[in-house]
Amino acid sequence: MVGTMALLPTFIRPARAPKAPKAAPQLAVTGLPADDEMLLDVPDDLLGPALVAAGRGEHRPAAALLARTRVRRDWEARDRYVKRLAAFAHARPEWFEAWRAGAPRDPDVLLVAAQLAVDRAWRSPARAELLREVSPLITAAAQGWDRDPVPWRIALDHARGARAGHKYFGELWEAAVRRSPHHFGCHVAALRYLAFSWHGSHPECFDFADRAAQDAPADSLVQTLPALAAMIYLTDGCGPEVPRARLDAAADRAIVLSARLGADDSRAAEVRNGLVYVLSRLGRREDTLVQLRLLGPYVTSFPWNRFSDDPLGHFLAAREDIVHDRPVRPWSGHDGHPTGADH
């Protein structure tokens, strides 16, 4: 990841934190990087060069990257790359439009186009109406490469935004898991649909997440799904209390996966950022500090963008509270519940 940094032009270079010299001594004591060393959403060594080329208007590296994930059936990486490339195409569309014009039936073009269209519709106040209009693009992406689960993850997100009924969502879910039984993105989309459709029914969300994690391989990101259910509960602010033991068990399962991930694993930063939030809300300071040390300088927008338009700044504020052993601010949701019992 770090080797890519010098290549990135300023408009896509990961944000660095502002200098905060007052916090440096305490951070040094705890073995954490200084604020001005923190980086937001660093691309990995494969995605970085593709973004650099796209910044120059060249689409071929992005096309080669997605083709590689498709041939290797690396669905988790494919899902991450599609989201990042669609976000970049939203800001800088020239390279993508050139790619699309030259290869309109390319399954990778169709996939990015579907993600981009859903992202654009999601940002609009007329979300539900606009999402219905982009359905043909998702269908085209699903037909472009039939074995690919990622179009079905997009379809599941689309169904949530369009307020689709349970029967239709269930049909999409069955199609998704036929293609990849443990695809993390599809499981996240399903969990978010349950949380949205059954607002406040957190036990049902935990039941789904726990079953999925129990069935998944030990090194699968699905092991973090119960922790995501805990995060949704902690930020929801309604519904019955979830027993403290269940929240701790969800965090513990994700801690086990975090310990399995090497420093060069592109999945590690997202897992550990989520754990920092959940563990800090549970008041588990020492466990939180362990994850902060493992995290190093890598901050991801999620989950911090759920609370602020400045996710890096919000992360730094939370880290300062943790380091100085101050109560973590109740950003939203079930403040107090843990000690008792998007898109």
Side-chain angles (χ1 to χ4, degrees), residues 4 10 60 63 67 73 75 119 197 218 225 234 273 283 308 313 339 342:
T4 304
T10 55
R60 288 182 180 83
R73 309 184 91 173
W75 306 130
D119 289 348
S197 298
L225 203 66
L234 291 168
N273 274 265
S308 171
T339 55
D342 152 49

Side-chain angles (χ1 to χ4, degrees), residues 205-225:
C205 291
F206 271 92
D207 289 345
F208 169 77
D210 286 341
R211 285 195 303 269
Q214 289 163 9
D215 292 342
D219 62 350
S220 169
L221 285 175
V222 176
Q223 296 297 332
T224 68
L225 203 66

Side-chain angles (χ1 to χ4, degrees), residues 163-229:
R163 301 175 182 270
H166 295 308
K167 183 176 184 297
Y168 176 67
F169 190 90
E171 293 169 355
L172 296 177
W173 171 248
E174 290 177 7
V177 295
R178 277 201 306 271
R179 287 159 175 82
S180 181
H182 307 298
H183 178 56
F184 181 59
C186 290
H187 280 78
V188 171
L191 180 65
R192 287 175 169 166
Y193 177 85
L194 293 176
F196 173 79
S197 298
W198 298 339
H199 190 50
S201 298
H202 297 289
E204 289 82 358
C205 291
F206 271 92
D207 289 345
F208 169 77
D210 286 341
R211 285 195 303 269
Q214 289 163 9
D215 292 342
D219 62 350
S220 169
L221 285 175
V222 176
Q223 296 297 332
T224 68
L225 203 66
L228 180 58

Side-chain angles (χ1 to χ4, degrees), residues 77-113:
R78 183 173 176 81
D79 206 350
R80 290 195 303 274
Y81 295 155
V82 163
K83 291 177 181 177
R84 293 291 296 270
L85 290 169
F88 192 66
H90 178 75
R92 295 289 298 273
E94 301 85 1
W95 66 276
F96 179 66
E97 293 305 327
W99 181 17
R100 194 176 191 180
R105 293 184 176 84
D106 185 310
D108 304 320
V109 164
L110 294 171
L111 187 59
V112 177

Side-chain angles (χ1 to χ4, degrees), residues 162-330:
R163 301 175 182 270
H166 295 308
K167 183 176 184 297
Y168 176 67
F169 190 90
E171 293 169 355
L172 296 177
W173 171 248
E174 290 177 7
V177 295
R178 277 201 306 271
R179 287 159 175 82
S180 181
H182 307 298
H183 178 56
F184 181 59
C186 290
H187 280 78
V188 171
L191 180 65
R192 287 175 169 166
Y193 177 85
L194 293 176
F196 173 79
S197 298
W198 298 339
H199 190 50
S201 298
H202 297 289
E204 289 82 358
C205 291
F206 271 92
D207 289 345
F208 169 77
D210 286 341
R211 285 195 303 269
Q214 289 163 9
D215 292 342
D219 62 350
S220 169
L221 285 175
V222 176
Q223 296 297 332
T224 68
L225 203 66
L228 180 58
M231 185 185 304
I232 292 171
Y233 166 75
L234 291 168
T235 58
D236 192 13
C238 73
E241 290 192 7
V242 173
R244 171 64 191 244
R246 195 164 198 182
L247 297 172
D248 282 327
D252 290 340
R253 183 183 285 273
I255 287 173
V256 171
L257 178 64
S258 174
R260 298 174 66 99
L261 301 178
D264 60 346
D265 194 314
S266 57
R267 305 174 300 169
E270 184 173 349
V271 169
R272 290 166 182 161
N273 274 265
L275 264 173
V276 167
Y277 174 76
V278 172
L279 290 168
S280 64
R281 288 294 305 273
L282 293 176
R284 293 172 55 172
R285 179 175 181 265
E286 292 306 316
D287 289 332
T288 309
L289 287 171
V290 169
Q291 295 305 314
L292 284 171
R293 293 187 192 103
L294 290 172
L295 182 62
Y298 301 115
V299 184
T300 55
S301 288
F302 183 83
W304 316 107
N305 58 3
R306 291 175 63 92
F307 318 107
S308 171
D309 292 333
D310 176 16
L312 180 56
H314 200 92
F315 167 85
L316 293 175
R319 189 175 71 155
E320 186 175 355
D321 285 343
I322 295 161
V323 166
H324 291 281
D325 200 14
R326 295 194 292 255
V328 177
R329 64 203 69 190

Side-chain angles (χ1 to χ4, degrees), residues 6-206:
L7 300 175
L8 295 178
T10 55
F11 53 83
I12 59 173
R13 192 170 297 154
R16 284 185 177 271
K19 292 185 178 182
K22 292 182 180 179
Q26 184 67 22
L27 291 174
V29 168
T30 55
L32 301 178
D35 284 4
D36 62 356
E37 295 175 336
M38 302 305 292
L39 302 167
L40 180 68
D41 292 334
V42 176
D44 66 26
D45 289 339
L46 295 176
L47 178 61
L51 291 175
V52 171
R56 296 194 299 258
E58 301 171 10
H59 66 268
R60 288 182 180 83
L65 176 62
L66 289 185
R68 169 187 169 132
T69 63
R70 175 163 43 86
V71 171
R72 296 189 177 194
R73 309 184 91 173
D74 189 352
W75 306 130
E76 302 295 359
R78 183 173 176 81
D79 206 350
R80 290 195 303 274
Y81 295 155
V82 163
K83 291 177 181 177
R84 293 291 296 270
L85 290 169
F88 192 66
H90 178 75
R92 295 289 298 273
E94 301 85 1
W95 66 276
F96 179 66
E97 293 305 327
W99 181 17
R100 194 176 191 180
R105 293 184 176 84
D106 185 310
D108 304 320
V109 164
L110 294 171
L111 187 59
V112 177
Q115 182 68 64
L116 178 59
V118 170
D119 289 348
R120 285 172 171 166
W122 205 277
R123 295 182 180 97
S124 170
R127 176 192 303 169
E129 180 181 347
L130 292 176
L131 283 172
R132 283 190 287 271
E133 295 176 3
V134 306
S135 293
L137 291 175
I138 302 175
T139 300
Q143 294 173 343
W145 194 258
D146 184 62
R147 290 169 289 178
D148 186 357
V150 181
W152 297 93
R153 190 273 302 159
I154 297 174
L156 293 168
D157 283 339
H158 173 272
R160 172 166 56 95
R163 301 175 182 270
H166 295 308
K167 183 176 184 297
Y168 176 67
F169 190 90
E171 293 169 355
L172 296 177
W173 171 248
E174 290 177 7
V177 295
R178 277 201 306 271
R179 287 159 175 82
S180 181
H182 307 298
H183 178 56
F184 181 59
C186 290
H187 280 78
V188 171
L191 180 65
R192 287 175 169 166
Y193 177 85
L194 293 176
F196 173 79
S197 298
W198 298 339
H199 190 50
S201 298
H202 297 289
E204 289 82 358
C205 291
F206 271 92

